[in-house]
Amino acid sequence: ALRALPSATYSCGIPAYPPYVARVVGGEDANPHSWPWQISLQYDNSGVWAHTCGGTLIATNWVLTAAHCISSSRTYRVLLGKQNLEVEEPGSVAAAVEKIIVHERWNSFLIANDIALIKLAEPVEVSEMIQPACLPASGAILPQDFPCYITGWGRLWTDGPISDDLQQALLPVVDHATCSRWDWWGFRVRKTMVCAGGDGVVSGCNGDSGGPLNCYGADAWEVHGIVSFGSGLSCNTLKKPTVFTRVSAYIDWINEVGVGPLKQSIRCLTRFLHTYVK
């Protein structure tokens, strides 16, 4: 069952600590807890928990991530409220996983329908460090160059180390007409995907998979993408933008298999309270 958010203070997509969103080129350390829906998906590696992917908290007991992050042979946990993965941080939570729902038409060969939902064993308490992101409207398409931010603990450069501190980078949206050109991603990019970046400087990298493409709209941050794939040559290849699963193409699926219409009513109510009851 879903738990209503405890007060008007915490609405989806409105961080207690606003992110730095200067239009810088190149990744940078995020302002701590400014992306409070960002989670670290970790697996049990011989008794040691290891980061494998990012993800997005979208309700108090549901996390959105990529299907390619999930292996049926692994045991997972979700870390919430984190900035640095290597240190103990007050307010952070390690949540057990009740079940994982991988999209029934996930195709690893075509990298199609690369989306999964993780249900937490217990709803998490919403706090300054842990808040859900908003979902976009079903079918929403962002225009060329719309400013979005990728966040994650992925590799700092191709074949480099993963980051201890949460990173963010500005990745402008590349529209489908451009991204599907033969010298960009061509036929590999589908209309259920969204591309962002491709300037040859900034991109997602290994370890960012499953994490959000954060885009600001309707007075709140919405998760418009799930990091899906990038260039095998190097993370930041010109005309090979990071490709995301387009969340707005899967709103019905998210509601049907997991989060349900109650989530949307909570979202609307809390946004109403946040906006009008100050």
Side-chain angles (χ1 to χ4, degrees):
L2 283 156
R3 183 178 295 177
L5 304 187
S7 77
T9 314
Y10 305 120
S11 176
C12 74
I14 304 174
Y17 302 97
Y20 305 133
V21 287
R23 299 285 185 92
V24 298
V25 172
E28 58 183 340
D29 287 359
N31 185 23
H33 309 300
S34 61
W35 306 103
W37 41 85
Q38 172 82 47
I39 66 95
S40 167
L41 181 63
Q42 305 198 328
Y43 68 98
D44 184 344
N45 185 12
S46 306
V48 178
W49 290 103
H51 171 84
T52 182
C53 276
T56 307
L57 187 72
I58 58 168
T60 53
N61 57 345
W62 286 98
V63 165
L64 196 58
T65 191
H68 81 261
C69 289
I70 304 302
S71 165
S72 57
S73 62
R74 285 179 169 174
T75 301
Y76 293 98
R77 73 170 184 178
V78 170
L79 268 192
L80 305 104
K82 293 296 290 180
Q83 170 70 9
N84 185 304
L85 293 181
E86 293 302 307
V87 299
E88 288 289 323
E89 292 170 321
S92 68
V93 171
V97 170
E98 179 182 308
K99 67 176 175 179
I100 301 177
I101 304 167
V102 173
H103 197 285
E104 62 279 4
R105 293 199 305 278
W106 156 237
N107 183 315
S108 58
F109 179 71
L110 299 173
I111 322 183
N113 303 304
D114 191 6
I115 185 171
L117 280 167
I118 300 171
K119 187 178 186 186
L120 305 180
E122 298 285 334
V124 291
E125 192 87 11
V126 176
S127 70
E128 289 186 339
M129 280 79 111
I130 301 171
Q131 296 168 241
C134 299
L135 295 172
S138 182
I141 303 282
L142 296 174
Q144 175 80 3
D145 289 330
F146 192 94
C148 296
Y149 290 82
I150 186 174
T151 49
W153 289 277
R155 296 189 189 278
L156 295 170
W157 55 83
T158 306
D159 298 328
I162 73 161
S163 176
D164 290 341
D165 284 300
L166 184 66
Q167 300 288 298
Q168 68 174 55
L170 173 66
L171 284 191
V173 167
V174 178
D175 65 21
H176 183 77
T178 303
C179 200
S180 58
R181 289 179 188 165
W182 69 269
D183 55 338
W184 287 64
W185 276 113
F187 64 88
R188 288 192 62 185
V189 65
R190 296 158 170 258
K191 291 195 172 176
T192 51
M193 301 171 182
V194 58
C195 304
D199 64 359
V201 181
V202 188
S203 73
C205 206
N206 313 71
D208 288 326
S209 283
L213 183 67
N214 305 283
C215 309
Y216 193 80
D219 301 322
W221 289 94
E222 299 173 339
V223 52
H224 273 264
I226 302 164
V227 180
S228 182
F229 66 90
S231 171
L233 297 174
S234 74
C235 291
N236 45 354
T237 302
L238 186 65
K239 294 188 178 180
K240 293 293 180 285
T242 307
V243 182
F244 301 78
T245 305
R246 179 167 64 80
V247 174
S248 66
Y250 293 92
I251 299 298
D252 289 347
W253 180 82
I254 291 168
N255 284 330
E256 281 165 21
V257 304
V259 180
L262 181 56
K263 161 66 174 57
Q264 297 300 326
S265 64
I266 290 171
R267 164 190 165 171
C268 295
L269 174 65
T270 51
R271 191 178 289 185
F272 172 83
L273 289 170
H274 188 93
T275 306
Y276 298 106
V277 190
K278 285 186 177 174

